[in-house]
């Protein structure tokens, strides 16, 4: 059954039983997955009035994030964390949203919380490096991008940022090596050629 067929089936079942929390939640997640964010938002807001479920607020955060409404996404992830304080997914996504909102210190706190429990998460090191890079803290950005490539040498964006840091601090040969690594991983990444 295709995703669109499944959506139609869930919509039909919900018409028969409008109060079925699980069906509506399943439909909302499927709508997010298919890019129907406005429709998913309606179902999630309805569910948020029915229950205090951290997963509903987590998914609300995802929808708001996809819609570029980062303030609402922040509120949703924070509500999710009120209900489930140790939710790694909510903490991580809150860090991403805080980065978008340029609330860097709080974003750093989120990513460091993740690393306490998952010290080998290359994506978290990358996002921490990105926060420091945006703050122009090249030393901490470098440390985190280095840790990213130690854990995942095929992370082309970490290599790209390392190349930019080397370029910024006057180490053109190191920068060149990083940009070559990016091209090796992704031959179509034009910014690596440009740099």
């Amino acid at each position: 059954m295709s995703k669109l067929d499944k959506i139609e089936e869930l919509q039909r079942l919900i018409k028969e039983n409008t109060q079925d929390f699980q069906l509506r939640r399943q439909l909302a997640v499927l709508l997010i997955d298919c890019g129907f964010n406005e429709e998913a938002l309606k179902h999630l807001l309805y569910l948020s009035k029915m229950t205090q479920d951290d997963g509903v607020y987590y998914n609300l955060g995802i929808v708001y994030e996809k819609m570029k409404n980062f303030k609402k996404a922040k509120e949703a992830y924070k509500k999710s964390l009120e209900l489930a304080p140790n939710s790694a997914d909510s903490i991580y996504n809150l860090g991403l949203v805080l980065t978008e909102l340029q609330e860097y210190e709080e974003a750093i706190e989120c990513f460091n919380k993740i690393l306490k429990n998952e010290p080998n998460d290359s994506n978290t090191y990358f996002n921490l490096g990105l926060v420091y890079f945006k703050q122009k803290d090249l030393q901490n950005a470098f440390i985190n991008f280095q840790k990213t490539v130690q854990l995942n040498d095929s992370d082309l964006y970490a290599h790209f940022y390392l190349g930019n840091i080397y370029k910024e601090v006057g180490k053109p040969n190191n920068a060149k090596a990083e940009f070559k690594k990016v091209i090796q991983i992704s031959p179509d990444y034009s910014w690596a050629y440009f740099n």
Side-chain angles (χ1 to χ4, degrees):
M1 176 180 290
S2 75
K3 288 181 180 181
L4 292 178
D5 290 336
K6 184 69 177 170
I7 287 172
E8 286 179 16
E9 179 189 12
L10 288 169
Q11 288 172 330
R12 182 182 50 75
L13 291 170
I14 289 170
K15 282 181 184 174
E16 294 170 10
N17 184 1
T18 59
Q19 299 298 312
D20 191 316
F21 176 85
Q22 292 303 331
L23 283 177
R24 195 175 291 271
R25 182 179 181 161
Q26 187 180 356
L27 175 60
V29 171
L30 192 55
L31 288 165
I32 294 169
D33 191 39
C34 291
F36 300 115
N37 297 321
E38 296 285 340
E39 188 68 23
L41 180 62
K42 290 175 191 173
H43 288 284
L44 290 166
L45 289 171
Y46 177 83
L47 289 170
S48 72
K49 292 174 185 160
M50 286 178 62
T51 184
Q52 293 291 298
D53 181 272
D54 66 288
V56 168
Y57 288 98
Y58 172 74
N59 285 309
L60 264 172
I62 290 173
V63 170
Y64 283 129
E65 206 174 338
K66 287 179 178 262
M67 297 170 77
K68 306 289 187 213
N69 189 339
F70 298 114
K71 287 183 181 180
K72 288 277 192 183
K74 174 184 168 182
E75 291 172 18
Y77 289 133
K78 285 197 170 200
K79 181 65 177 179
S80 174
L81 286 167
E82 282 177 28
L83 299 168
N86 297 319
S87 169
D89 290 335
S90 291
I91 295 168
Y92 182 83
N93 284 20
L94 178 60
L96 295 175
V97 166
L98 291 167
T99 302
E100 289 291 335
L101 293 170
Q102 299 180 358
E103 297 177 24
Y104 297 130
E105 293 308 314
E106 283 185 71
I108 289 168
E109 287 175 26
C110 288
F111 295 133
N112 281 328
K113 280 183 191 175
I114 297 294
L115 291 173
K116 281 182 185 173
N117 295 321
E118 298 178 41
N120 293 319
D121 185 350
S122 66
N123 289 329
T124 301
Y125 280 108
F126 175 81
N127 283 298
L128 196 51
L130 192 58
V131 171
Y132 285 120
F133 189 84
K134 289 178 182 235
Q135 289 182 303
K136 309 275 190 250
D137 181 347
L138 298 184
Q139 182 178 355
N140 279 316
F142 181 83
I143 290 167
N144 285 282
F145 291 136
Q146 274 291 104
K147 187 67 175 173
T148 303
V149 298
Q150 286 170 2
L151 294 168
N152 177 12
D153 192 46
S154 63
D155 189 316
L156 71 106
Y157 299 109
H159 284 290
F160 182 76
Y161 278 101
L162 284 169
N164 279 305
I165 291 170
Y166 279 128
K167 193 168 83 171
E168 184 76 23
V169 298
K171 294 187 176 181
N173 290 334
N174 296 64
K176 186 176 176 181
E178 291 297 335
F179 294 132
K180 282 185 176 183
K181 181 72 176 177
V182 172
I183 292 166
Q184 180 185 7
I185 296 167
S186 179
D188 296 333
Y189 195 69
S190 61
W191 283 104
Y193 290 102
F194 175 78
N195 281 293

